[in-house]
Amino acid sequence: MIRILVVGSGGREHALLWALRHCPEAGELYIAPGNGGTDSLAQTVPLAADDLAGLTDFACREAIDLVVVGPEVPLALGLVDRLQQEGVAAFGPVAAAAQLEGSKVFSKQFMVENGIPTAAHRAFDAYEAAWEYAQTQPLPLVVKATGLAAGKGVIICQTHDEARAALDSIMRARDFGAAGDEVVIEEFLSGQEVSVLAFCDGTVAVPMVLAQDHKAAYDGDRGPNTGGMGAYAPAPLLDDAQLGFVRQRVLQPVLDGMAARGTPYKGVLYAGLMLGEQDIHVLEFNCRFGDPETQVILPLLETSLVQVMQACLNGTLAQLPIVWKDASAVCVVLAAGGYPGSYRKGVLITGLAEAEALSEVTVFHAGTRREDDQVVTAGGRVLGVTAVADDLASAQQLAYRAAGMIRWQDMRYRHDIAAKGLAREV
Ligand code: AMP
Ligand code: GLY
């Protein structure tokens, strides 16, 4: 039985804990810092996800056998490196490999060097040179702050004035802090966005079932961009030839390129792709599981997640058959009114027990907090109501039935999660 610490506090981390709890190898589970839903699965450790020293001390003191790092910030800061130095096994890439997400300048350069298809770009560390270049580029164009900016550092500019405003915001006003030390200016790509997540063991990458996120706040993909308002899996987005292309031209070159640099990529690689009429390009890499994609991927994983993670760390992924359930999962995110703008916190949530009493329904907590015996809101994305069923239509129906049982003042959600998947199935 192994002792596991999960780092993070979102719906992704609740789903990770839930999947780990179902593994026969899992003994004591810990979560740092967790949320209002995680304490039923694990002991809460009151340490922030970016408290590298505190987390490393805790892991050593409590003889943790496996640390699973959820979010990108501790990965980019080098939590896995520190744990490894202390002899603690940790799932996730080392800092040098996590730069694929942590630095867009690095990531673009890496893609060019390794022949991975991506939008044409230039990188700049000086405002004047960036602005001079931007004016010569066709519209629309895309301006990106190089560093981590919680999904807000990418600005699509329809005019050159907008490009100047974007550069002002990133490089002069420093709206994203040090993330704006450099910018990437790149060509705009159109098409359908698809994400492929893969387990990686330093040598090989094994794609997970495909999941589709819904980034826009409102039905019909309208409204501002969010962290993700819901997801479904499996998503019928890539055919075999396209998936073969992604394996050969995107995933494997990342593994080969990172190994050649002496920083083998272990953990989850998340490739954000743009599927054009003719071709596939990489928009970005993330160095971790997606949120909410994880909430629909892990409930479909039949193989023990502990075994998969250990195979990633031991370099034995090629020998482990990874089995997925022949079923579908839908996750509807319940958000606070106003999200992704400003919203209230501390509002009482009711109906959780009723929703969870439905068979094949799991409510993953994201922005919640426990107050005495009650659960209150504590974030923008509050809950992820996930249902598993034999087919996508039934999973969608069940997820919305459960979502309808949960209430708080100002609760809001999208009503069309998985509709795109259903439209393609017919
Ligand atoms: P990134 O963090 O680089 O994935 O960017 C966030 C989002 O911005 C993506 O999910 C896309 O919707 C959009 N985006 C980024 N780069 C481009 C591009 N070159 N062309 C069109 N849209 C883009
Ligand atoms: N769902 C998008 C992400 O995790 O980055």
Side-chain angles (χ1 to χ4, degrees), residues 122-137 167 171-172 183 185:
R122 291 265 310 264
F124 297 92
D125 60 9
Y127 176 91
E128 284 308 330
W131 171 229
E132 224 165 83
Y133 174 77
Q135 290 171 79
T136 65
Q137 294 306 297
L167 292 170
M171 303 188 92
R172 287 195 161 156
V183 292
I185 299 180

Side-chain angles (χ1 to χ4, degrees), residues 49 54 67 117 144 216 248 265 325 389:
V67 178
K144 303 182 173 185
Q248 273 173 30
Y265 195 100
K325 290 196 176 92

Side-chain angles (χ1 to χ4, degrees), residues 87-159:
V88 180
F91 181 81
V94 292
Q99 284 185 89
L100 270 188
E101 175 167 3
S103 163
K104 289 194 193 290
V105 171
F106 171 87
S107 178
K108 294 293 290 192
Q109 180 68 25
F110 179 90
M111 286 191 255
V112 171
E113 281 168 11
N114 290 280
I116 297 170
T118 189
H121 85 289
R122 291 265 310 264
F124 297 92
D125 60 9
Y127 176 91
E128 284 308 330
W131 171 229
E132 224 165 83
Y133 174 77
Q135 290 171 79
T136 65
Q137 294 306 297
L139 296 165
L141 60 80
V142 186
V143 177
K144 303 182 173 185
T146 188
L148 295 176
K152 299 195 176 82
V154 174
I155 303 167
I156 296 176
C157 308
Q158 303 296 340
T159 66

Side-chain angles (χ1 to χ4, degrees), residues 8-367:
S9 61
R12 166 182 52 209
E13 286 76 23
H14 192 177
L16 282 164
L17 271 184
W18 176 90
L20 292 166
R21 184 75 284 164
H22 286 84
C23 298
E25 302 85 356
E28 206 67 53
L29 295 183
Y30 298 87
I31 175 99
N35 61 39
T38 52
D39 55 358
S40 57
L41 295 171
Q43 292 187 42
T44 301
V45 182
L47 292 171
D50 62 358
D51 180 356
L52 270 52
L55 292 165
T56 308
D57 282 352
F58 176 84
C60 292
R61 203 170 57 238
E62 295 293 328
I64 299 295
D65 300 298
L66 174 66
V67 178
V68 177
V69 186
E72 62 276 15
V73 169
L75 291 167
L77 290 174
L79 178 55
V80 170
D81 309 55
R82 270 179 96 136
L83 288 162
Q84 280 179 357
Q85 278 156 20
E86 298 299 328
V88 180
F91 181 81
V94 292
Q99 284 185 89
L100 270 188
E101 175 167 3
S103 163
K104 289 194 193 290
V105 171
F106 171 87
S107 178
K108 294 293 290 192
Q109 180 68 25
F110 179 90
M111 286 191 255
V112 171
E113 281 168 11
N114 290 280
I116 297 170
T118 189
H121 85 289
R122 291 265 310 264
F124 297 92
D125 60 9
Y127 176 91
E128 284 308 330
W131 171 229
E132 224 165 83
Y133 174 77
Q135 290 171 79
T136 65
Q137 294 306 297
L139 296 165
L141 60 80
V142 186
V143 177
K144 303 182 173 185
T146 188
L148 295 176
K152 299 195 176 82
V154 174
I155 303 167
I156 296 176
C157 308
Q158 303 296 340
T159 66
H160 287 114
D161 277 349
E162 283 177 25
R164 184 162 52 190
L167 292 170
D168 277 338
S169 153
I170 296 171
M171 303 188 92
R172 287 195 161 156
R174 310 283 288 173
D175 288 338
F176 305 100
D181 284 348
E182 291 179 272
V183 292
V184 166
I185 299 180
E186 74 177 30
E187 157 198 26
F188 177 84
L189 300 172
S190 53
Q192 153 109 303
E193 276 188 60
V194 181
S195 312
V196 175
L197 281 78
F199 291 112
C200 301
D201 74 348
T203 309
V204 301
V206 177
M208 306 180 201
V209 287
L210 291 184
Q212 186 168 38
D213 190 4
H214 298 65
K215 302 286 287 182
Y218 308 124
D219 289 14
D221 288 338
R222 291 190 320 268
N225 222 30
T226 70
M229 293 298 293
Y232 68 94
L237 299 175
L238 296 176
D239 61 28
D240 287 348
Q242 289 167 319
L243 192 57
F245 179 90
V246 173
R247 279 171 177 269
Q248 273 173 30
R249 294 292 311 281
V250 177
L251 301 175
Q252 197 55 48
V254 170
L255 279 273
D256 294 345
M258 280 294 170
R261 294 173 62 87
T263 56
Y265 195 100
K266 296 186 177 193
V268 171
L269 178 64
Y270 173 129
L273 308 168
M274 186 66 90
L275 207 60
E277 304 248 308
Q278 312 285 340
D279 41 22
I280 297 179
H281 288 94
V282 175
L283 290 175
E284 61 160 350
F285 286 117
N286 294 325
C287 61
R288 48 163 179 84
F289 281 101
D291 189 344
E293 291 93 327
T294 307
Q295 289 89 305
V296 290
I297 291 173
L298 292 182
L300 298 179
L301 179 65
E302 190 98 44
T303 310
S304 153
L305 181 60
V306 169
Q307 278 185 32
V308 176
M309 289 182 164
Q310 285 178 331
C312 288
L313 299 189
N314 299 336
T316 53
L317 205 48
Q319 286 100 61
L320 180 74
I322 298 183
V323 182
W324 300 95
K325 290 196 176 92
D326 184 16
S328 290
V330 173
C331 171
V332 178
V333 170
L334 309 186
Y339 173 78
S342 59
Y343 49 81
R344 285 172 62 198
K345 290 184 187 174
V347 185
L348 178 69
I349 303 170
T350 59
L352 280 169
E354 290 83 343
E356 282 175 314
L358 293 174
S359 136
E360 299 299 332
V361 169
T362 309
V363 180
F364 294 119
H365 289 230

